[in-house]
Structures are given as structure tokens and as C-alpha cells.
Amino acid sequence: GAVVSQHPSWVICKSGTSVKIECRSLDFQATTMFWYRQFPKQSLMLMATSNEGSKATYEQGVEKDKFLINHASLTLSTLTVTSAHPEDSSFYICSATLSDYGYTFGSGTRLTVV
Amino acid sequence: KQEVTQIPAALSVPEGENLVLNCSFTDSAIYNLQWFRQDPGKGLTSLLLIQSSQREQTSGRLNASLDKSSGRSTLYIAASQPGDSATYLCAARTDKLIFGTGTRLQVFP
């Protein structure tokens, strides 16, 4: 149990366009999901906490107008990178937690902005 | 603010060696600590989860210990194999899950 599906696994987009990444909890309801970002050879940095039915909580230094998070249902959270630039190229990964079973992560999305 | 550090940053060993990976965290008020494995370009695979009330967890050749009061956890890998080559991440959970800096492990035949 506790499977998180993330889509797409990779995407290439042009500068100035927007990209949407989906994160779904397949076999459980997740009132809270988390979005992380990982640069090459670095660890995962928490970007924001996504709360079902309310606004996301962003970490310090993360632009909420650039990284739009929507958590409209108990099984789906989306991250939209708006007006993407090459410096937004990174590995984005979502996660959810099922009580005390720890965090389960999606397989990640590699975004390349050209 | 929770800070999680892992030592060593990188490790290269011959097959068969027993390994110890270290993780330290600054805020000891954690709910649990989780160890993950990440293969290059891939997502995370959860290895072991230790609740704050527990001292250790074991799965196969892996053993993780937790000393909450001193802010430390170790991951012990017995009889390492080339297939163990990956980056190992620890993560401490308070109201958020904060990741360590990672240890890149290479096990050569």
C-alpha cells in the first residue's frame, strides 16, 4: 500500500511556457502532500506543503507565484511551474505520508527548460 | 531549524565489506527518521523507518539505529554488493521531512 504516482517522468519545454506536474496517491487519501526539488548531486529541498482544500505552505525562498500548487482532492496535488526558465531545470519529486508509515515518494519528474 | 548532515559524502569500497553510514540532526524532537536509497536519475526507495520511540530497525542486510538524544542515526550495510551502489539519504521528520546531504556509495567487484 501507500503508492504515490507522479506524472510525467520527464518533460522538456521552452522558456516562458508553463509545465504542470501531477502527484496522485493511488491507494490512500492524502490530506497533505509535499513537493521537493533536487539539483544534480544535491539532496532534496522541500519547496512546499500542499494541503487539500486550502493554500499551500511555501518554504522560505520559494516563489509561490512561480510554483503554483493545487490540491483539489484527497488524491491529487499538482505543481505548475509558470513562465519556466532554464534555471528551473531540476528534478521535482512529490511525496505523501500515511500516518506513521513514513513518507512515500513519487518517481520524480525531470524538467528541462530550453 | 532542523539541519541534517550525512558523513561520509562519498564512499567507494570493494564488494563484501561491512559499511556504516552516519546521519546527524540538530533538532532531536523528531517523530521518526527514515533512510532512503536513490539510484541515479530515479526517485526514492524507502529502506527503513525508525520511530522516535525505537532504537533500531532491521531489514535483510540493513540495520538502522537511532539515538535521538544525541541526534544521530547510523545505517549499517552488511556484506556489501555492487547492487548496493546508490546514494543513501536519511530524513528526519518533525512537522516536515528534512533530508540529509546524502552519501554516494560505490561498491566495486
Side-chain angles (χ1 to χ4, degrees):
Chain A
V3 176
V4 173
S5 173
Q6 188 171 340
H7 179 82
S9 57
W10 61 270
V11 58
I12 300 174
C13 71
K14 291 184 178 181
S15 287
T17 61
S18 295
V19 174
K20 180 185 284 189
I21 303 170
E22 293 187 348
C23 181
R24 294 181 184 272
S25 56
L26 296 186
D27 50 2
F28 66 103
Q29 294 181 331
T31 55
T32 305
M33 290 186 178
F34 305 87
W35 288 95
Y36 290 82
R37 180 176 184 175
Q38 185 179 36
F39 290 107
K41 297 187 179 180
Q42 294 188 22
S43 191
L44 279 74
M45 299 299 295
L46 180 64
M47 297 176 67
T49 301
S50 170
N51 303 296
E52 188 268 335
S54 64
K55 292 182 179 180
T57 304
Y58 290 82
E59 294 299 300
Q60 191 173 11
V62 178
E63 300 176 61
K64 57 184 176 184
D65 294 331
K66 180 165 190 62
F67 300 100
L68 300 180
I69 292 173
N70 184 274
H71 194 157
S73 77
L74 288 171
T75 59
L76 174 65
S77 176
T78 61
L79 168 67
T80 301
V81 183
T82 63
S83 186
H85 289 99
E87 58 264 32
D88 298 325
S89 298
S90 189
F91 188 65
Y92 294 87
I93 190 165
C94 69
S95 75
T97 180
L98 180 60
S99 187
D100 292 333
Y101 287 97
Y103 283 55
T104 301
F105 284 79
S107 54
T109 298
R110 183 157 304 283
L111 170 64
T112 302
V113 184
V114 298
Chain B
K1 179 186 174 185
Q2 178 76 280
E3 293 183 5
V4 184
T5 307
Q6 290 184 245
I7 294 173
L11 189 59
S12 182
V13 299
E15 182 176 9
E17 282 205 3
N18 300 323
L19 309 172
V20 176
L21 308 182
N22 298 291
C23 172
S24 61
F25 46 95
T26 55
D27 183 356
S28 61
I30 61 171
Y31 298 137
N32 56 50
L33 187 132
Q34 201 165 353
W35 282 92
F36 296 88
R37 168 186 173 140
Q38 185 177 33
D39 292 288
K42 303 291 185 181
L44 301 179
T45 300
S46 179
L47 299 174
L48 290 165
L49 169 69
I50 313 175
Q51 300 293 349
S52 61
S53 58
Q54 297 174 326
R55 298 284 293 183
E56 66 177 346
Q57 284 287 326
T58 298
S59 175
R61 294 182 294 108
L62 305 179
N63 174 277
S65 66
L66 175 64
D67 184 343
K68 208 174 90 161
S69 60
S70 67
R72 281 190 259 180
S73 177
T74 60
L75 178 67
Y76 178 82
I77 303 176
S80 58
Q81 302 171 357
D84 295 331
S85 299
T87 295
Y88 290 80
L89 295 161
C90 68
R93 180 180 178 182
T94 51
D95 58 336
K96 308 170 187 176
L97 188 68
I98 303 300
F99 280 84
T101 45
T103 294
R104 289 190 301 280
L105 172 65
Q106 182 180 11
V107 181
F108 53 91

